[in-house]
Amino acid sequence: MIVADRKPLQEILDMVEDCEKLLIVGCNACVAICMAGGEKEVSELASLVKIAKKKQGKNIEITERVTERQCEEEFVKEIEKEIKGHDIILSMACGVGVQLIAKMYEDRLVYPALNTKFMGLPEEQGQWAETCAGCGDCRLADFGGVCPVARCSKNLLNGPCGGSVDGKCEVDPDNIECAWQLIFDKMKLLGQVDKLLKIEPAKSWKTSRDGGPRKVIKEDVRL
Amino acid sequence: MKSGSNLETVLNSGEFAVTAELGPPKSANKEFVIKRAQILKSYVDAANLTDNQTAIVRMSSTAAARIILDEGVEPVIQITCRDRNRIAIQSDVLGAAALGVKNILCITGDHQCFGNHPDSKNVFDIDSIQLVSLLKMMRDEQKVLGGDTIKTPPKIFIGAAANPFADPLEFRVIRLEKKINAGADFIQTQCIFDLNRFSKWMNMVEDKGLDKKTHILAGVTPIKSYNMAKHMAENVSGVSVPQEILKRMESAKDPKEEGVNICIETIEKLKKIKGIHGIHIMAVQWEDIIPEIVKRIGLYPRPQI
Ligand code: SF4
Ligand code: SF4
């Protein structure tokens, strides 16, 4: 899923400084599951903004809505009336959802309430970890199902750097596991350590963001 | 001869080589580099110029290389994969070769979070093993990675690093093997304090016959103080300092003297290992101690080849 995290309240308050009629739109997909922009978080943020405004002696009218998926037009259309009836729309979806509303309603001000972080997995209650960087040429088959592109801090393809100690990454030994320790352990388990002796050639980053913004085109389903 | 460098000549002749590290300044101070080159001159076969070590901005290693060449010291420039993509690296290699650089050490590079620009973007377009392959391709196939021909190829003696103290231990030998297969002519190791662990690694290296396929230079660092020893033991990933050394440094009357003694004892032991073809002295901000170390272990004068 796409993992996101709410922006600091002050940053959000600055965005809605002069706003008197605010619409907060959450999303029921990924960001709801990672507890950043679902129904509960929308109502929490609404209360926080109201309280802060009150303290400043200002009034604000806030409407709360949650789309089923903010990255699809049909679901956004369901709240068209509310979007058109507000000065500022504060989206609690990932960056994709924010941009879709901004694109569909060109004359509205649409601001992000979240920082979109990564594609990842929940690790434990309240903790998510980056797992895939969407490099466009998936090589998980060669690395025991552990991604060196997204999970090694230096996206190394030929083995661990000199900073790998006790299974931890030099960048933050308390929080980051060394991807290459995980790859090695898994390949050992699979009896495939020999495969790691092969020199991985320089990766083509063309399929990644470095080829410019990407598009997926499926000819067989195009109209 | 692949490069005709002094280091290559010394190693090929079977002599025990001596290299040392020279950290370029955090400024445009040419005199700083000249002074250190003069200290090292005639005590080392080549001096390594670090590439923005620990991600701290310093004078370019290639520029510093040209300065020490003028002082009569042969440079080994270090290139990390952290700051440049394949285009910039190849361009730098051509430029360095044109300026007279004949040895290049390929390294991954410390993460930028350790340095003075933690907000920077890192590159890692290629990794250190791919960099070794790339240098070999430029030198031997006369081609850039994209396939174009290089009319005047860089004549480079290709080096790579090895860290016997990082994990997983078994992978450390696999990585060395990969570096050799990629084309590493010489290897410089992380600084060695923990001779037990080093021997374990070295046995695995010798079992695979890898020491016969490349020249391994063992890294050493003279420690200046107990605090430095403690810092290295606790805060530097991939460096192992045994308790015994920490104790010796703590109780030493003259810690600097003790640090040098430990360093010399370590070198004496390393010299006895057949697969070790030289030492690489990394005296961090203490380059003036290098002549004394080289003399005391009987490696002075250096062979004139
Ligand atoms: S190899 Fe690429 S696509 Fe596959 S998991 Fe890693 S980043 Fe994602
Ligand atoms: S310690 Fe492991 S995860 Fe961290 S950069 Fe090195 S190889 Fe990658």
Side-chain angles (χ1 to χ4, degrees), chain A residues 119 131-141 143 145-151 157 203 205 207-208 214:
Chain A
M119 288 185 270
T131 318
C132 168
C135 77
D137 176 22
C138 192
R139 299 293 311 281
L140 286 172
F143 300 108
V146 179
C147 175
V149 179
R151 297 174 69 182
L157 297 178
K203 184 173 168 69
W205 298 104
T207 58
S208 182
R214 294 166 284 175

Side-chain angles (χ1 to χ4, degrees), chain A residues 154-162 164-166 170-171 181 184 188 193 196-203 205, chain B residues 86 108-109 111 114 122 124-127 129-130 163 166-168 170-172 174-175 177-178 182 237-238:
Chain A
K154 302 175 185 171
N155 53 255
L156 304 176
L157 297 178
N158 278 295
C161 76
S164 172
V165 176
D166 293 333
E170 67 171 19
V171 170
Q181 178 77 52
F184 184 65
K188 231 170 139 174
V193 170
L196 297 178
L197 247 178
K198 178 184 158 264
I199 295 172
E200 268 299 321
K203 184 173 168 69
W205 298 104
Chain B
R86 62 191 79 179
T108 306
H111 195 269
F114 295 108
N122 64 31
F124 300 113
D125 175 23
I126 53 175
D127 63 32
I129 292 177
Q130 292 159 353
N163 187 351
D167 290 324
E170 296 149 86
F171 211 129
R172 293 297 140 193
I174 297 179
R175 235 169 114 74
E177 189 169 357
K178 286 176 89 160
S237 305

